[in-house]
């Protein structure tokens, strides 16, 4: 399957071509080139998936058992060598989760490219936009097929750079510039932990390779770090917790979530790409990639992941209920749903039905990508029509935007977990895994399921029902180039839940037979229906009930609107503590001593050269005089 290298190379070449020739290429041609490139990537990804899962390639090394999938190294070569054992390779690893991610990334990215042809038409920087989209796609594709953790880290940082460029696409807009810097800085703090964890892990195991790290249930990690601890915690736990810190930053887990809502300052199609298929799922994918190590070597860290995830899911859902900007509602929804996936990994076992949580996490990542992309692109269609992100400027848009209305409704039903839409099947598996592992976690996730249905249908009813807002221009349906991706993603939001996912993806790569836990499913559907009913009662027609309820909640509601003041807390920590008491003294030391030392060396060199440069003046008389004086000095020394 060496042709999979084309999947990586094509978007990279597209980025370079569009980047170098952006000033001479017509706007429309840039979009066509970028979209055509992604179409080829998507087709190749589908071919790879069919060949791997159904063509026998994935099971060819397992004695012909088509239900046991093996990892295939399609390409691998040594890049940097430190010791005979420790080296950084670059390659392509194909296994169930990486092949699944190729399909997700290429599909969503292609839909975003097509949609952007209409949404971004006429925007200044149109060519630059499509160039960076290709870079973003290349970065995420490289991340998911990495053969080793350092290769993943390289592409991890490229994802961060790409997101910085896209979030700050409107670089003349101060809020967009601030949001891009915030995303970059917050994730850099997290990535420092990730890099530290990688260095600790590689120092003891003498490898970066995923296959070596996860082989034999993480035996290499267990054996190489056995008996070593720091501050009462094992070195292995420190390393894996620090690696998870990087994942928590990218996936916007509490308290590193603060960058994601502000990332809405970028173009709406970018939000769809970041939230559905690229940046925020990277953390989930990282934990899944190293899952055998987490489960067997550091189960305490896996428990930590579960509790961080469950708190984040509830925290973000509560905030989403209070937001009025439609993109920010979806942003907090993403945080909550990604946290769902983290919880599923945290409560998962490894073999057989005990590994339900792992499969459920990947299943929800798969289905969520399509209906979350649909939600963001639907929101973009609404914004395109009314030129506002605020719900107060919307209402009764269903009669003007029938396609956007019905596709947005499908996405809301999917994320709410209403059968037979895809979110029902994947969310049910997560809840079933949580129920078997920890009842407190299950109850919390059940509450989050109800809140999810409530805030999504609060959004739906306020956009498409209620009283019509007077607009300067009559709202209209988006052009076909924007509605076709909506229709395609709506179809995927309906049918992807029917895929027998357990037969394709599991923790031990063996077929996992699953069935609907009807008791758990009934409870989750009941919570969703209750949330939908309350949202319908409060928002289908305009009334003063929501305002009265908000007023009755007092300071709690105000805190939720302000995102529980986490932005202010981080501002205090960074500006008043880190910058004042750490960064400023370090900057002074650097300027006074480091720069001072370098300046002193330079000044001494200049002074010395000034002192001796007269010896090379080019005047013959001076050379003769020096020669004669030198001869006399030598004779004098010889005589004495």
């Amino acid at each position: 399957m060496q042709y999979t290298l084309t999947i990586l190379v094509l978007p990279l070449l597209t980025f370079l071509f569009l980047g170098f020739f952006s000033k001479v290429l017509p706007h429309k041609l840039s979009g066509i080139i970028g979209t055509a490139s992604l179409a080829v990537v998507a087709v190749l990804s589908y071919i790879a998936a069919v060949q791997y899962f159904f063509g026998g390639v994935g099971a060819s090394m397992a004695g012909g058992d088509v239900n046991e999938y093996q990892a295939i190294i399609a390409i691998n070569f040594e890049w940097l060598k430190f010791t005979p054992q420790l080296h950084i390779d670059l390659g392509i690893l194909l296994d169930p989760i990486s092949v699944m991610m190729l399909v997700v990334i290429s599909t969503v990215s292609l839909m975003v490219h097509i949609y952007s042809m209409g949404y971004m038409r006429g925007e200044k920087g149109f060519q630059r936009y499509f160039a960076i989209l290709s870079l973003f796609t290349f970065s995420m594709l490289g991340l998911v097929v990495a053969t080793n953790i350092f290769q993943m880290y390289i592409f991890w940082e490229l994802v961060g750079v790409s997101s910085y460029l896209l979030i700050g696409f409107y670089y003349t807009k101060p809020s967009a510039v601030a949001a891009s810097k915030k995303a970059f800085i917050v994730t850099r703090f997290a990535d420092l932990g990730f890099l530290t964890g990688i260095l600790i892990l590689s120092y003891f195991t003498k490898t970066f390779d995923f296959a070596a790290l996860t082989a034999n249930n993480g035996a290499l990690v267990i054996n190489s770090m056995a008996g070593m601890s720091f501050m009462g915690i094992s070195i292995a736990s420190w390393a894996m917790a620090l690696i998870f810190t990087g994942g928590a930053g990218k996936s916007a887990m509490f308290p590193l979530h603060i960058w994601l809502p502000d990332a809405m300052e970028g173009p709406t199609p970018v939000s769809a790409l970041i939230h559905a298929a690229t940046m925020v799922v990277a953390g989930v994918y990282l934990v899944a990639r190293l899952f055998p190590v987490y489960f067997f070597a550091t189960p305490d860290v896996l428990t930590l992941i579960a509790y961080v995830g469950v708190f984040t899911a509830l925290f973000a859902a509560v905030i989403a209920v209070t937001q009025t900007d439609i993109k920010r509602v979806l942003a907090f929804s993403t945080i909550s749903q990604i946290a769902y996936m983290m919880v599923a990994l945290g409560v998962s076992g490894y073999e057989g039905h005990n590994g339900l949580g792992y499969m459920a996490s990947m299943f929800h990542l798969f289905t969520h990508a399509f209906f979350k992309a649909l939600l963001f692109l639907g929101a973009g269609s609404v914004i395109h029509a009314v030129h506002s992100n605020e719900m107060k400027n919307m209402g009764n848009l269903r009669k003007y935007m029938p396609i956007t209305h019905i596709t947005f409704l499908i996405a809301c039903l999917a994320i709410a977990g209403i059968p037979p839409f895809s979110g029902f099947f994947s969310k049910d598996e997560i809840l079933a895994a949580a129920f078997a592992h920890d009842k407190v976690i299950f109850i919390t996730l059940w509450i989050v399921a109800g809140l999810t249905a409530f805030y999504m249908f609060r959004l739906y009813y306020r956009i498409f029902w209620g009283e019509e807002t007077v607009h300067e221009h009559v709202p209209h349906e988006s052009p076909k180039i924007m509605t076709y991706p909506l229709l395609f993603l709506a179809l995927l939001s309906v049918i992807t839940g029917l895929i027998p996912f357990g037969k394709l993806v599991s923790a031990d790569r063996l077929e996992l037979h699953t069935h609907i836990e009807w008791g758990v499913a009934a409870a989750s559907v009941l919570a969703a229906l209750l949330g939908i009913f309350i949202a319908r009662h409060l928002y289908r027609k305009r009334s003063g009930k929501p305002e009265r309820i908000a007023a009755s909640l007092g300071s709690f509601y105000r805190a939720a609107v302000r995102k529980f003041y986490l932005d202010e807390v981080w501002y205090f920590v960074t500006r008043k503590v880190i910058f004042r008491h750490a960064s400023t003294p370090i900057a002074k030391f650097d300027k006074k001593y480091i720069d001072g030392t370098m300046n002193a060396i330079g000044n001494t060199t200049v002074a010395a050269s000034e002192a001796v440069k007269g010896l090379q003046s080019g005047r013959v008389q001076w050379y003769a005089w020096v020669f004669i004086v030198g001869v006399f000095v030598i004779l004098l020394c010889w005589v004495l």
Side-chain angles (χ1 to χ4, degrees):
M1 299 182 70
Q2 292 183 349
Y3 67 87
T4 52
L5 179 62
T6 309
I7 296 174
L8 279 182
V9 171
L10 201 53
L12 175 61
L13 293 178
T14 305
F15 160 67
L16 295 174
F17 180 79
L18 294 180
F20 282 124
F21 298 102
S22 61
K23 292 186 178 180
V24 298
L25 287 174
H27 283 214
K28 189 173 182 180
L29 181 59
S30 300
I32 292 172
I33 292 172
T35 305
S37 170
L38 255 295
V40 175
V41 169
V43 170
L44 291 175
S45 298
Y46 300 153
I47 292 172
V50 171
Q51 189 176 357
Y52 182 84
F53 286 118
F54 308 110
V57 174
S60 60
M61 299 173 62
D65 184 356
V66 297
N67 295 322
E68 183 178 355
Y69 295 102
Q70 301 297 309
I72 298 173
I73 305 296
I75 293 171
N76 196 62
F77 63 91
E78 187 176 274
W79 180 44
L80 293 176
K81 186 172 184 177
F82 301 110
T83 68
Q85 297 81 25
L86 187 62
H87 48 85
I88 299 176
D89 297 347
L90 296 177
I92 294 178
L93 169 63
L94 301 174
D95 69 348
I97 59 172
S98 64
V99 173
M100 178 269 292
M101 286 299 296
L102 288 180
V103 173
V104 168
I105 295 166
S106 60
T107 301
V108 174
S109 184
L110 177 59
M111 293 301 105
V112 168
H113 274 73
I114 296 172
Y115 182 93
S116 296
M117 290 279 286
Y119 189 88
M120 299 298 290
R121 182 179 299 164
E123 287 278 4
K124 182 181 178 181
F126 187 84
Q127 301 98 319
R128 172 170 54 90
Y129 172 82
F130 275 92
I132 303 173
L133 273 190
S134 295
L135 176 64
F136 206 162
T137 305
F138 161 72
S139 303
M140 194 64 194
L141 290 169
L143 188 155
V144 300
V145 299
T147 59
N148 61 84
I149 195 169
F150 211 95
Q151 180 186 343
M152 176 183 275
Y153 182 76
I154 293 169
F155 283 96
W156 188 277
E157 294 305 312
L158 274 176
V159 169
V161 171
S162 304
S163 65
Y164 169 78
L165 295 173
L166 286 171
I167 294 168
F169 176 78
Y170 299 116
Y171 58 85
T172 57
K173 186 179 177 183
S175 58
V177 174
S180 64
K181 291 192 294 184
K182 186 176 184 179
F184 192 78
I185 292 170
V186 171
T187 52
R188 292 295 72 69
F189 273 108
D191 292 350
L192 175 61
F194 186 15
L195 179 59
T196 305
I198 291 173
L199 296 176
I200 294 172
L201 191 66
S202 61
Y203 176 80
F204 287 100
T205 62
K206 302 296 186 283
T207 184
F208 297 114
D209 191 65
F210 284 129
L213 292 171
T214 59
N216 301 316
N217 300 331
L220 177 61
V221 177
I222 296 171
N223 295 332
S224 61
M225 299 185 182
M228 288 179 282
S229 64
F230 175 68
M231 296 178 63
I233 300 173
S234 71
I235 294 296
S237 294
W238 276 112
M240 299 310 294
L242 286 167
I243 289 173
F244 169 67
T245 302
K250 276 287 192 290
S251 291
M253 295 293 99
F254 179 90
L256 300 171
H257 65 282
I258 57 170
W259 66 269
L260 191 57
D262 289 354
M264 300 301 97
E265 293 292 340
T268 302
V270 170
S271 302
L273 193 57
I274 290 176
H275 286 249
T278 53
M279 191 168 180
V280 295
V281 300
V284 178
Y285 184 82
L286 172 63
V287 176
R289 170 59 69 205
L290 292 170
F291 185 75
V293 179
Y294 278 107
F295 182 78
F296 290 104
T298 59
D300 50 337
V301 179
L302 203 59
T303 301
L304 172 67
I305 291 171
Y307 283 108
V308 168
V310 76
F311 178 81
T312 303
L314 180 61
F315 179 83
V318 170
I319 295 175
V321 170
T322 67
Q323 301 301 297
T324 58
D325 182 316
I326 62 173
K327 289 175 67 176
R328 288 183 181 272
V329 173
L330 295 178
F332 281 103
S333 169
T334 298
I335 296 171
S336 185
Q337 295 301 304
I338 296 296
Y340 244 86
M341 301 171 203
M342 286 290 192
V343 174
L345 289 171
V347 302
S348 180
Y350 187 72
E351 296 175 336
H353 197 69
N354 291 327
L356 178 63
Y358 179 95
M359 186 281 295
S361 178
M362 296 298 98
F363 193 13
H364 198 54
L365 187 158
F366 183 75
T367 61
H368 175 266
F370 303 123
F371 58 70
K372 183 51 63 72
L374 177 55
L375 285 167
F376 269 105
L377 296 185
S381 184
V382 171
I383 294 168
H384 186 264
V386 302
H387 307 291
S388 175
N389 292 22
E390 288 293 327
M391 294 184 203
K392 65 182 180 181
N393 298 324
M394 304 167 191
N396 202 30
L397 291 179
R398 69 188 188 283
K399 69 178 184 179
Y400 299 108
M401 310 177 71
I403 296 176
T404 301
H405 167 235
I406 192 65
T407 54
F408 198 89
L409 175 59
I410 289 171
C412 288
L413 290 168
I415 195 172
I418 301 298
F421 300 96
S422 60
F424 163 74
F425 296 97
S426 56
K427 188 176 288 187
D428 175 69
E429 301 290 9
I430 292 177
L431 290 170
F435 183 81
H437 181 84
D438 189 312
K439 300 301 185 291
V440 173
I441 291 178
F442 167 76
I443 292 171
T444 306
L445 293 184
W446 181 79
I447 294 170
V448 172
L451 288 173
T452 301
F454 173 75
Y455 65 68
M456 287 310 307
F457 276 85
R458 169 181 176 263
L459 183 63
Y460 165 73
Y461 281 116
R462 292 197 64 178
I463 294 174
F464 296 105
W465 294 78
E467 293 183 6
E468 184 174 329
T469 303
V470 178
H471 300 282
E472 183 178 348
H473 303 286
V474 177
H476 57 85
E477 185 59 272
S478 298
K480 291 181 179 179
I481 199 167
M482 292 171 63
T483 56
Y484 284 157
L486 298 182
L487 292 169
F488 182 72
L489 289 169
L491 175 64
L492 294 180
S493 299
V494 174
I495 66 173
T496 50
L498 303 176
I499 295 174
F501 205 80
K503 293 184 178 181
L504 307 177
V505 177
S506 65
D508 56 5
R509 296 183 185 154
L510 297 172
E511 182 176 323
L512 177 62
H513 296 281
T514 61
H515 61 276
I516 297 175
E517 300 283 351
W518 289 108
V520 173
S524 66
V525 172
L526 178 63
L529 291 175
L530 182 61
I532 294 171
F533 174 78
I534 295 173
R536 184 180 186 277
H537 176 69
L538 294 177
Y539 298 105
R540 187 173 183 272
K541 293 181 180 180
R542 185 169 181 81
S543 68
K545 293 179 182 178
E547 289 77 10
R548 290 195 294 271
I549 293 173
S552 68
L553 293 174
S555 58
F556 179 80
Y557 179 84
R558 291 191 294 273
V561 171
R562 294 290 300 272
K563 296 165 283 189
F564 294 103
Y565 306 102
L566 258 295
D567 283 304
E568 289 80 359
V569 170
W570 274 112
Y571 181 85
F572 175 81
V573 170
T574 54
R575 296 294 297 271
K576 305 298 183 182
V577 179
I578 297 177
F579 291 172
R580 178 178 296 178
H581 299 292
S583 300
T584 300
I586 291 172
K588 289 180 178 178
F589 178 84
D590 180 72
K591 187 175 182 178
K592 184 175 181 179
Y593 295 103
I594 306 299
D595 288 354
T597 301
M598 294 298 103
N599 292 337
I601 293 172
N603 293 335
T604 302
T605 303
V606 170
S609 67
E610 287 287 342
V612 302
K613 70 180 182 180
L615 296 175
Q616 299 291 330
S617 65
R619 291 182 296 173
V620 177
Q621 298 92 328
W622 170 252
Y623 293 160
W625 170 251
V626 171
F627 176 77
I628 293 171
V629 171
V631 169
F632 275 109
V633 169
I634 293 172
L635 288 174
L636 183 62
C637 291
W638 181 70
V639 171
L640 295 176

